[in-house]
Amino acid sequence: DAKTTQPPSMDCAEGRAANLPCNHSTISGNEYVYWYRQIHSQGPQYIIHGLKNNETNEMASLIITEDRKSSTLILPHATLRDTAVYYCIVRPSIIQGAQKLVFGQGTRLTINP
Amino acid sequence: EAGVAQSPRYKIIEKRQSVAFWCNPISGHATLYWYQQILGQGPKLLIQFQNNGVVDDSQLPKDRFSAERLKGVDSTLKIQPAKLEDSAVYLCASSLLVGSPLHFGNGTRLTVT
């Protein structure tokens, strides 16, 4: 079962920052927060991941609260091509055996012109 | 780098027929995954390979689904016989190592009538 809670849908105006929240109140110390997105008719695309520090790459920023029970994915200047379903996933660090990504329902983000 | 290749892109079959999907992962990626995505839901892991060995197939319906990874590179997923509820998108993903971000193909959309 997914260990995260996300709003089912959000809207954002083109050019503005899109802030996507995720709750993961049962996260444990060795679990990472991953974000993927899925544009219509495509496979999921990796965006970013983090453990406890904030992270930034060319696609987005990830802000993780100090208690690690929630996080926010920030798309700084949203474009129409950012319209997609965004998945927040909690994933264990490298351990023996399977390393499965368990997807929930995600947030359907719509960028409006 | 070339992405994960999957074929066919679409497949329509009648129930009780058999079908096979093919996946070519990113070169050098040791880990390969098959996911099933039913319309409106997040992807669900069916099976995970590490090189040519199975790491996790706990959610694979083994009475009708089978998968193999030839020489630790390409993989095929087979359904025999198909049921109506198997209608879904079948996604293949690969990662460089266990714990690395997953790279997904665009999937095969299966319709069972």
Side-chain angles (χ1 to χ4, degrees):
Chain A
D1 292 334
K3 298 177 64 174
T4 62
T5 303
Q6 299 178 252
S9 64
M10 293 182 62
D11 286 272
C12 180
E14 188 178 18
R16 305 295 295 270
N19 297 279
L20 292 93
C22 179
N23 286 320
H24 30 78
S25 57
T26 62
I27 193 169
S28 59
N30 67 346
E31 291 181 318
Y32 285 77
V33 179
Y34 275 74
W35 284 84
Y36 282 76
R37 73 180 182 183
Q38 188 170 23
I39 295 169
H40 182 63
S41 297
Q42 297 183 21
Q45 175 191 23
Y46 166 78
I47 302 174
I48 198 168
H49 72 282
L51 184 62
K52 51 184 176 181
N53 296 323
N54 298 337
E55 301 288 343
T56 295
N57 63 20
E58 65 278 4
M59 290 183 68
S61 295
L62 174 60
I63 309 299
I64 303 174
T65 58
E66 191 169 343
D67 63 6
R68 301 207 326 120
K69 293 185 177 181
S70 66
S71 61
T72 301
L73 179 74
I74 301 172
L75 308 178
H77 304 288
T79 70
L80 298 178
R81 289 177 293 180
D82 292 322
T83 292
V85 178
Y86 287 76
Y87 295 99
C88 170
I89 301 165
V90 167
R91 187 187 195 192
S93 61
I94 295 176
I95 55 174
Q96 288 185 339
Q99 257 268 310
K100 61 172 70 174
L101 278 181
V102 179
F103 287 82
Q105 297 286 85
T107 295
R108 182 172 298 279
L109 175 67
T110 302
I111 306 301
N112 299 307
Chain B
E1 63 183 2
V4 175
Q6 291 189 246
S7 67
R9 190 76 171 93
Y10 303 93
K11 190 73 177 178
I12 301 173
I13 62 172
E14 295 182 351
K15 59 184 179 183
R16 292 188 288 275
Q17 286 186 326
S18 62
V19 64
F21 313 124
W22 174 81
C23 172
N24 180 232
I26 293 173
S27 178
H29 280 198
T31 311
L32 185 146
Y33 311 76
W34 283 101
Y35 280 80
Q36 178 193 58
Q37 185 172 24
I38 293 172
L39 187 64
Q41 299 181 17
K44 182 185 82 171
L45 179 69
L46 293 176
I47 189 167
Q48 176 185 345
F49 292 93
Q50 178 67 18
N51 296 310
N52 60 354
V54 175
V55 174
D56 183 354
D57 63 357
S58 57
Q59 297 197 81
L60 187 73
K62 298 179 187 64
D63 58 334
R64 298 183 301 105
F65 285 65
S66 64
E68 62 179 1
R69 190 175 184 195
L70 307 172
K71 299 180 182 178
V73 182
D74 292 6
S75 179
T76 56
L77 177 69
K78 297 179 181 178
I79 308 175
Q80 181 180 8
K83 293 184 175 181
L84 296 177
E85 59 261 36
D86 298 332
S87 293
V89 175
Y90 291 84
L91 295 159
C92 179
S94 68
S95 64
L96 183 62
L97 301 168
V98 172
S100 302
L102 273 64
H103 298 260
F104 284 82
N106 286 328
T108 295
R109 180 176 297 277
L110 173 67
T111 302
V112 182
T113 63

